Amino acid sequence: MARPGSSKREAIVAAAKALLWERGYEATSPRDVLSLSGAGQGSLYHHFPGKREVAAAALAEMAAEEIAAIDALFAPGAPPLDRVRAYLTRERQALRGCRLARLANEAAMEEPVLREPVAAYLGHIQASLRTSLEEAEAAGGLAPGVAPAALAAALIAVVEGGYVLARVHWDEAAMRAAIDGTVQLLAVAARPQA
């Protein structure tokens, strides 16, 4: 897991990131992190007081990585509804679940230090969607009565719910169907350009 020249702290956080996505918080133990990272117990407790702090560091890095990917999708230049469609149709590992939001149903979300990176990531997506939809509305690209903020909330809910459907049915097609339906709804919400 550790890259040549990387620090033990980096190796520990990288292992925690992988395990949190694979297993979640509750099913990941410090021993698992140590085993995957190749670090010793002394290294873990030298850098972190405990499991919660390792997870918090991992989630913060994961959120920063995913926010950078979202920013690339929503970069100015493309028409606003194309940016929204790019987010909806981006490549996803449906059966693994959302890298951060898959922790939402764990008791760990009661801990602010663990919840905040997940909330920041989802909030960033929703704000990016809302901004793009507001731009489309200002340009006359949304049908009358479509509220950008409400539509943004619905779009992110479908994507995150698509992960749930895929995992529950253990079938990536369940998520694709949800996304395909959302793309169709977005087309209905878009005002045809003359």
Side-chain angles (χ1 to χ4, degrees), residues 92-98 158-178:
R92 293 182 171 90
Q93 295 182 43
L95 296 180
R96 288 191 77 187
C98 177
V158 170
V159 170
E160 294 303 325
Y163 283 116
V164 171
L165 292 172
R167 288 181 59 83
V168 165
H169 297 293
W170 207 249
D171 184 0
E172 291 182 357
M175 182 171 201
R176 281 194 303 276

Side-chain angles (χ1 to χ4, degrees), residues 77-160:
L81 293 180
D82 288 354
R83 296 189 305 249
V84 173
R85 276 187 287 276
Y87 163 71
L88 293 172
T89 60
R90 76 185 275 210
E91 187 72 28
R92 293 182 171 90
Q93 295 182 43
L95 296 180
R96 288 191 77 187
C98 177
R99 196 168 171 218
L100 285 112
R102 77 179 308 255
L103 302 176
N105 291 324
E106 293 194 36
M109 288 296 97
E110 295 173 16
E111 295 279 345
V113 71
L114 300 177
R115 183 178 60 249
E116 288 166 3
V118 177
Y121 168 60
L122 294 176
H124 191 78
I125 296 170
Q126 193 166 345
S128 298
L129 287 165
R130 185 186 66 244
T131 297
S132 291
L133 292 167
E134 287 170 347
E135 288 176 29
E137 179 184 47
L142 288 183
V146 174
L151 183 54
L155 294 177
I156 192 170
V158 170
V159 170
E160 294 303 325

Side-chain angles (χ1 to χ4, degrees), residues 5-55:
S6 70
S7 74
K8 290 294 184 187
R9 184 187 190 287
E10 290 171 333
I12 290 166
V13 171
K17 287 164 41 177
L19 290 166
L20 287 170
W21 192 12
E22 179 186 327
R23 300 179 184 176
Y25 179 78
E26 292 163 8
T28 296
S29 71
R31 183 174 305 208
D32 297 329
V33 173
L34 291 174
S35 177
L36 187 58
S37 70
Q41 188 171 359
S43 291
L44 176 74
Y45 293 108
H46 170 73
H47 294 291
F48 301 100
K51 174 182 173 178
R52 182 180 61 179
E53 292 78 15
V54 173

